[in-house]
Amino acid sequence: MRFVLTALLTVLSSLPAAAAACNGREVTVNVYNAPICVPDKPQRIIALDTYFSLGMALELGAPVIGAPLFGLEDKALEARAKAASVADVGHSSQPSPERIIALKPDLILGDAFIHARAYDTASKVAPTALVKVQNWRDYYATVAAVTGRTGAADEAFKAYDK
């Protein structure tokens, strides 16, 4: 009985320490492996998903520094990414870990359905937020929350709703 009580007290006493370990913001909704700790204001974002995350992050004004641009079929998005000085990290189906590491990201953003298998590896490089919703509005709101751009998303939703 003493052993069980001691173990329980040990676990309970470590909970506040784990919560205090997040030096940014904790995201608990619509992300894979929640809760995750992300920087308050990320400055070096890698977008693994060119279908949603890259375009949404750029539209929100997030500082995306790398994305898989090789073979990107959306030429308008590719042009926007290049205009924003987004470095190519390879093909969307298999981005280069070496290129990602070399860019020294402070946040990796992707899609849970596509990138869940790479989560453990990616999260060793930087905090990794994999969005796990399919509705575009929820996806956009989650990208905004993770990148610290909720104000920009609110304005975009207002404009869209008009």
Side-chain angles (χ1 to χ4, degrees), residues 82-96:
K82 287 183 178 181
S85 300
V86 174
D88 183 10
V89 297
H91 193 275
S92 62
S93 67
Q94 195 169 15
S96 166

Side-chain angles (χ1 to χ4, degrees), residues 81-144:
K82 287 183 178 181
S85 300
V86 174
D88 183 10
V89 297
H91 193 275
S92 62
S93 67
Q94 195 169 15
S96 166
E98 295 83 6
R99 289 183 193 172
I100 292 170
I101 292 166
L103 289 170
K104 298 180 181 155
D106 60 0
L107 178 65
I108 297 175
L109 182 62
D111 181 86
F113 181 73
I114 299 170
H115 303 109
R117 288 181 289 166
Y119 179 83
D120 289 337
T121 302
S123 64
K124 289 176 184 168
V125 176
T128 301
L130 302 181
V131 181
K132 66 172 193 174
V133 293
Q134 298 303 313
N135 173 290
W136 75 267
R137 280 184 88 108
D138 293 340
Y139 203 108
Y140 194 86
T142 304
V143 169

Side-chain angles (χ1 to χ4, degrees), residues 5-99:
L5 185 58
T6 302
L8 182 59
L9 289 174
T10 302
V11 169
L12 291 176
S13 68
S14 70
L15 290 177
C22 182
N23 292 327
R25 293 175 293 108
E26 201 170 80
V27 179
T28 60
V29 179
N30 296 336
V31 290
Y32 178 81
N33 206 28
I36 59 168
C37 181
V38 298
D40 281 327
K41 295 180 182 177
Q43 298 300 308
R44 303 183 59 75
I45 300 171
I46 297 289
L48 296 176
D49 169 34
T50 55
Y51 302 106
F52 292 109
S53 301
L54 175 61
M56 291 178 178
L58 289 174
E59 186 174 304
L60 290 164
V64 178
I65 60 163
L69 303 178
F70 180 79
L72 182 60
E73 293 180 16
D74 185 338
K75 296 305 172 192
L77 178 56
E78 182 178 18
R80 280 183 33 216
K82 287 183 178 181
S85 300
V86 174
D88 183 10
V89 297
H91 193 275
S92 62
S93 67
Q94 195 169 15
S96 166
E98 295 83 6
R99 289 183 193 172

